[in-house]
Amino acid sequence: MKKEFTLTIYTENHVGLINKIAIMFSRRKISLESFNTSPSEVPNIYRFTIVVVEAEAVVKNLVKQIEKIVDVFKVYCNTNDEIVWQQMALYKVPTEVIIKEVKVERLLREYGAKAVVIRNDYTVFEATGQGEEINKLLKKLDKFGLIEFVRSSRIAIINASEGIHKKVVEMELKNPALQTINNEFLDKKDQVFQM
Amino acid sequence: MNTLEIKETEKQKSETLVSGSVAVIEALLAENVTTIFGYPGGAIMPIYDALFDYKKQLNHILVRHEQGATHAAQGFARVSGATGVVFATSGPGATNLVTGLADAMIDSTPLVCITGQVFAHLLGTDAFQETDIVNITSPVTKWNYQITDASEIPSVLAKAFYIAKSGRPGPVLIDITKNAQLQLFDYEGYQKCDFIRSYKPQPDIRISYVEQAAELINQAKKPFVIFGQGVILGNAEKEFLQFIEKAGIPSAWTIMGMSAIPTNHPLAVGMLGMHGNYAPNLFTNECDVLIAIGMRFDDRVTGRLDKYAKQAKIIHLDIDPAEIDKNVLVNVPVWGNCKETLPLLTERVEQKSHQEWITKFHQAIAIETEKLIEPELFPEEGEITMGEVIQLINELTNGEAVMVTDVGQHQMITCRYSHQNKTRSNITSGGLGTMGFALPAAIGAKYGAPERTVIAVMGDGGAQMNIQELGTIMQFKPNVKILILNNSFLGMVRQWQELFHEKRYSFTDIQSPDFVQVAKGYGIKGNKVALREELKSALQEMIDFPESFLLEVAVRMEDNVFPMVPQGKGVSEIVLCKEDI
């Protein structure tokens, strides 16, 4: 039976690591529902949040295989009842509609949306919530001339994980990371010998 | 600081300035590398230029194709236990490594491959001979990395050697841009790596699991050990023997585990798998405790999973936690290097002999011997069989030779019938099943174990893949015995076509050149034999010849390898002949 799982992965900050993690899923032809990567609270350590819908046995294998990647510290795997999670969405709507239609304002308040940009021609609202709520608001705003819509990937905090911050700090403390050297030669082509 | 002092420090500084290429070579020397298999090209020229000054310390073998370099490095690593080293250039040089990397990845062979890459400022511009080799090889390497600045070279290569060899070994690829190879940098010496904070080569041993395992083994009436290459990779052959001898447990090997114990050991009951022996397959589904050591339950070993050892409690000893429960759910996972876990287990198990249970194995072995092995090894009429060739090699070498095989019928026959007394004697492409593996791997094996007789056994199909490596033998003269078992077919595919595709021999009738003439063109002596009376003396001549020698043996065209666990069947549904399928 397939279920939704959220994987939280702590890694080094290395170029190409996204590919190495992504191919673990693509080799089994598993599509990703959501994929987020960002720096963690600790310098040089990155945090991935990946959502997949798969059978538990497959996800367990995946977790171990991802953990085997040299630059990966740790993988946590959780079902939806073990995490607090959110997505963010942006909705672009014609400003004149909002001015005219009282209903829209009520709607936005109901969903806790707030205006990020207000211009003569359009207004951008931001709402956070879980997939369902974001979809509902989308459906409703669609009727009022929605111009553009985008949603972020999921971010999640693990319920029973008070020690994680401590662990991440420990990861960094143990022998600091080698600094990745970025490609600084991109604009120096005249200075290097060529064959 | 006065001017003089400043001048002095500047002088010291310039003395420590070395090029990235020299740093690469220094790293290899610090890692005790003796042999490199490689092929030069534009993007790796600075490294080859540096190598020119180190000819005395480093033996570079110029292969004829980069795939040959990877397989040779694999052969070297597999017989010696050291890490194989490969050099290749960018673009096509690098992409030619992919098959060998995949082979080394699936068979856990430690390799460090160093590829040249175009200048860093050209990356991503479709420059001449540019390929994105780091992304191409991500799925087939344990780790890979691109260096664009020479200062990274010492630390990254130290990491590469550490990762390749530690834990479950595997191939590592380091891609170095040409500017980094040329760049002069302040070299502070080479420091070996023994710790990477995000990498845990082996899991902590949990004694509670060892205790649970020992308890299960002590209670078992019909315990059965199946072991893989983990025993060899962990250098745990002695610990393994002590364990099975104390607990008195019959033991069978996977193709990769073969030769970890002498094939004639009293507790050895043969090879597992699709074309393995009858007894171990049969009794996998009868044992009460199955102890898997350093193996990964490959589908060719397990057959149909829902019919695999369902009656047994399963104990799995492995260094790689990702192997636990991957294919077969286990009752007790004993994480760790079996070199460390086996002695802990041996301490806790009772001395036993399980005579009755072992007798059952011997009865099944007798059935297989009578029905299959005798007619295969000692035929009295008809054309030569593959089995009798291997049997004669056993007689002539006393089981002391390193047997190197490709994939297919000749491989199964070699692994079924060859006698091997010493560990690291069976070099084959197990997981990937690569045709063309044997010839270059045998070259590498000879460099890894110069004192041993190395025999590359190939079919007529595999012999034509990577046949160009005869050129490497011509130039560097490793004493490699080349044995081609020619049945004028792509034998294993033909066997399946016969058994499962109504004998529709679709493109398996392969023509071969005159191999002896080809060898002659490369200055390698050869011979061809088709008659039984001449076989033994021909093999003797091949083995005794002081240089490389190619022997082509014409064998039966439509022989099948049996027994067989047909695909989709359980291991105990193993059949001994065609009629039983």
Side-chain angles (χ1 to χ4, degrees), chain B residues 213 216-217 289-292 313-317 330-332 334:
Chain B
L216 275 180
I217 293 167
V289 175
L290 186 66
I291 306 131
K313 292 257 188 286
I314 301 178
I315 301 166
H316 192 178
L317 284 75
V330 303
N331 300 84
V332 183
V334 182

Side-chain angles (χ1 to χ4, degrees), chain B residues 216-415:
Chain B
L216 275 180
I217 293 167
N218 288 336
Q219 286 164 359
K221 295 278 176 289
K222 295 190 280 186
F224 181 32
V225 164
I226 56 179
F227 66 94
Q229 198 192 192
V231 175
I232 299 172
L233 291 170
N235 297 318
E237 293 91 345
K238 204 178 80 205
E239 289 79 1
F240 179 77
L241 270 183
Q242 283 166 347
F243 167 67
I244 60 166
E245 282 170 358
K246 183 174 181 194
I249 307 177
S251 304
W253 51 84
T254 68
I255 192 169
M256 298 302 293
M258 185 175 181
S259 84
I261 62 173
T263 47
N264 61 0
H265 188 276
L267 287 169
V269 293
M271 184 170 81
L272 296 155
M274 186 176 262
H275 292 293
N277 291 103
Y278 183 57
N281 276 309
L282 201 61
F283 294 121
T284 298
N285 279 5
E286 208 183 304
C287 63
D288 55 1
V289 175
L290 186 66
I291 306 131
I293 304 176
M295 55 87 74
R296 59 184 177 87
F297 293 105
D298 177 76
D299 60 281
R300 286 294 193 269
V301 161
T302 62
R304 205 170 138 163
L305 277 174
D306 59 1
K307 292 185 178 175
Y308 185 78
K310 286 292 165 200
Q311 81 295 342
K313 292 257 188 286
I314 301 178
I315 301 166
H316 192 178
L317 284 75
D318 209 287
I319 197 167
D320 180 359
E323 289 302 338
I324 307 285
D325 287 346
K326 188 181 80 177
N327 297 328
V328 172
L329 292 179
V330 303
N331 300 84
V332 183
V334 182
W335 292 320
N337 185 344
C338 61
K339 179 118 185 143
E340 292 158 32
T341 52
L342 278 171
L344 296 173
L345 201 53
T346 309
E347 266 172 41
R348 290 169 172 79
V349 295
E350 293 157 12
Q351 184 101 31
K352 281 195 178 159
S353 68
H354 298 289
Q355 230 11 277
E356 215 175 300
W357 168 234
I358 291 171
T359 308
K360 284 190 84 173
F361 275 87
H362 287 295
Q363 285 162 352
I365 290 170
I367 295 172
E368 187 186 347
T369 307
E370 195 205 325
K371 266 191 121 169
L372 267 173
I373 301 176
E374 288 285 328
E376 173 74 33
L377 300 191
F378 308 102
E380 277 155 13
E381 49 183 26
E383 290 119 344
I384 296 171
T385 65
M386 291 188 186
E388 66 180 310
V389 180
I390 302 304
Q391 173 59 26
L392 284 171
I393 289 179
N394 291 340
E395 285 175 25
L396 297 172
T397 62
N398 293 318
E400 296 287 318
V402 177
M403 302 298 283
V404 190
T405 45
D406 268 3
V407 63
Q409 285 189 321
H410 74 277
Q411 174 198 36
M412 290 296 113
I413 294 288
T414 306
C415 295

Side-chain angles (χ1 to χ4, degrees), chain A residues 58-105:
Chain A
V58 174
V59 176
K60 274 188 174 169
N61 275 327
L62 268 169
V63 165
K64 286 192 272 189
Q65 286 176 332
I66 295 169
E67 214 155 68
K68 229 164 90 170
I69 299 171
V70 169
D71 298 315
V72 169
F73 286 98
K74 182 81 195 137
V75 185
Y76 297 93
C77 173
N78 298 96
T79 52
N80 284 347
D81 51 355
E82 295 166 345
I83 52 170
V84 176
W85 55 277
Q86 292 278 289
Q87 278 178 302
M88 191 178 97
L90 298 175
Y91 307 80
K92 189 155 102 185
V93 195
T95 306
E96 50 172 18
V97 181
I98 304 163
I99 296 165
K100 277 185 205 155
E101 301 263 357
V102 192
K103 267 189 273 175
V104 178
E105 210 194 316

Side-chain angles (χ1 to χ4, degrees), chain B residues 523-542:
Chain B
I524 298 165
K525 200 163 182 263
N527 191 12
K528 195 184 292 187
V529 61
L531 296 172
R532 179 158 297 118
E533 310 79 81
E534 295 167 6
L535 180 60
K536 190 168 180 180
S537 59
L539 285 166
Q540 183 81 61
E541 184 195 12
M542 173 188 86

